[in-house]
Amino acid sequence: MIQIAVLSDVHGNLPALEVVLKDIEERGIYQKFCLGDLVDFAPWGNEVIEKIKTLNIPCLMGNHDERIAFDIPVIPLSKHSEEETKARFVAIDHSKNHITDENKKFLSKLPFHLKLNYKIGNKHWNIQLMHSSLESNDTYLYESENDEVFINMLEDSKADIIVMGHTHLSFKKQFENNKWAVNCGSVGRSKEENRLASYLVLTLDDEKIIPEIVQINYPLEETARQIEESGIPDYYASFLRNENILIL
């Protein structure tokens, strides 16, 4: 049996990341992977990057990482309210001004996809990791998506399981022949009602893959308070507290 942990979308939330990493350690899981979006919306972007670097956790380039690394302009999104649009511009500008040049260079060199192969007995398991999809790191794929979308991705990647993040909403979908599409949710900016830090544990044996979404508490109120004391808009503290903010 082999276990691996997959996390995503930390978004500068160091307290949430530390709780998740501690939980992974307590489970005795040594293989860890990150699907990207280390920065934006909480004040510890540099600290999160340094933690990932120090622990040598393989990490993909999320859309937010790419924007900060290459100073890509922020484009308003129609799905966002006027309040969120204003807050988003300020928060991303905060990252552009505060993430160090060394850490921007680190983000710029992250891979887009990662394909894993684990051999247990005579069985090879192929695991496709991506931030959001095979073609883009900014595609929103939800659980409600037509099954054919995920089945095609499984076929295109020749994988037994595809694992993604980006939407901040976890799900597990099983298909024929023990094939899976899984979203591991978000460590630091969950859009789920409970706002818990979310990550994925994959258990592999010679017959099957078992995906488990793990959701755990972290010091959310203290995190929100420190956001309010930083240069990041209070919008993101209210978001963590789930204070009647419309989620799209």
Side-chain angles (χ1 to χ4, degrees):
M1 182 187 77
I2 295 174
Q3 286 191 309
I4 70 171
V6 185
L7 55 116
S8 189
D9 296 276
V10 182
H11 286 293
N13 190 335
L14 183 65
L17 175 61
E18 290 179 333
V19 168
V20 164
L21 291 174
K22 181 180 178 182
D23 191 71
I24 293 170
E25 181 181 4
E26 289 175 347
R27 291 170 180 262
I29 300 173
Y30 301 103
Q31 300 283 319
K32 298 182 285 290
F33 300 90
C34 180
L35 305 184
D37 273 4
L38 303 180
V39 297
D40 292 338
F41 310 133
W44 301 279
N46 283 309
E47 291 85 348
V48 166
I49 293 170
E50 294 295 339
K51 179 74 72 173
I52 295 295
K53 287 163 61 176
T54 300
L55 295 176
N56 278 324
I57 298 174
C59 184
L60 303 183
M61 180 189 290
N63 58 306
H64 285 263
D65 306 317
E66 184 176 18
R67 182 185 292 114
I68 298 305
F70 300 106
D71 195 22
I72 298 172
V74 183
I75 299 173
L77 302 179
S78 59
K79 67 175 186 173
H80 290 159
S81 66
E82 182 178 352
E83 180 187 13
E84 182 170 4
T85 297
K86 290 180 179 179
R88 181 169 170 263
F89 271 79
V90 174
I92 293 172
D93 192 56
H94 184 277
S95 291
K96 289 184 175 183
N97 290 330
H98 285 82
I99 300 300
T100 67
D101 289 342
E102 181 182 353
N103 283 335
K104 288 178 181 178
K105 184 177 180 180
F106 170 80
L107 295 178
S108 75
K109 297 183 182 302
L110 295 175
F112 201 75
H113 292 154
L114 186 61
K115 182 79 167 287
L116 307 175
N117 180 286
Y118 286 91
K119 182 176 184 292
I120 305 179
N122 294 320
K123 177 64 179 178
H124 284 266
W125 293 112
N126 290 305
I127 301 169
Q128 179 68 63
L129 304 181
M130 52 200 173
H131 182 68
S132 68
S133 76
L134 292 172
E135 293 81 21
S136 167
N137 63 6
D138 200 14
T139 301
Y140 290 86
L141 297 176
Y142 297 99
E143 185 173 10
S144 58
E145 203 76 35
N146 190 299
D147 286 355
E148 186 177 355
V149 171
F150 299 114
I151 292 170
N152 288 340
M153 292 171 71
L154 284 161
E155 291 176 351
D156 290 344
S157 62
K158 295 180 172 57
D160 298 292
I161 182 169
I162 50 176
V163 184
M164 67 204 79
H166 187 56
T167 66
H168 303 193
L169 294 165
S170 63
F171 66 78
K172 300 185 297 184
K173 299 191 79 166
Q174 186 174 19
F175 307 104
E176 291 182 358
N177 301 317
N178 198 32
K179 305 283 187 179
W180 291 89
V182 180
N183 189 305
C184 62
S186 171
V187 170
R189 193 169 178 260
S190 172
K191 292 184 179 180
E192 299 182 41
E193 187 174 353
N194 60 30
R195 292 300 196 265
L196 299 178
S198 178
Y199 77 98
L200 172 70
V201 173
L202 290 178
T203 302
L204 318 175
D205 62 26
D206 59 354
E207 294 182 350
K208 60 188 178 300
I209 297 176
I210 302 174
E212 176 192 1
I213 303 293
V214 179
Q215 297 188 325
I216 51 181
N217 284 299
Y218 68 96
L220 188 149
E221 181 55 39
E222 175 62 17
T223 302
R225 186 185 65 78
Q226 292 196 52
I227 290 174
E228 290 171 335
E229 294 177 356
S230 74
I232 294 170
D234 291 354
Y235 174 93
Y236 295 102
S238 298
F239 180 97
L240 291 184
R241 296 186 180 111
N242 202 4
E243 293 177 338
N244 300 317
I245 291 177
L246 179 63
I247 304 302
L248 294 173

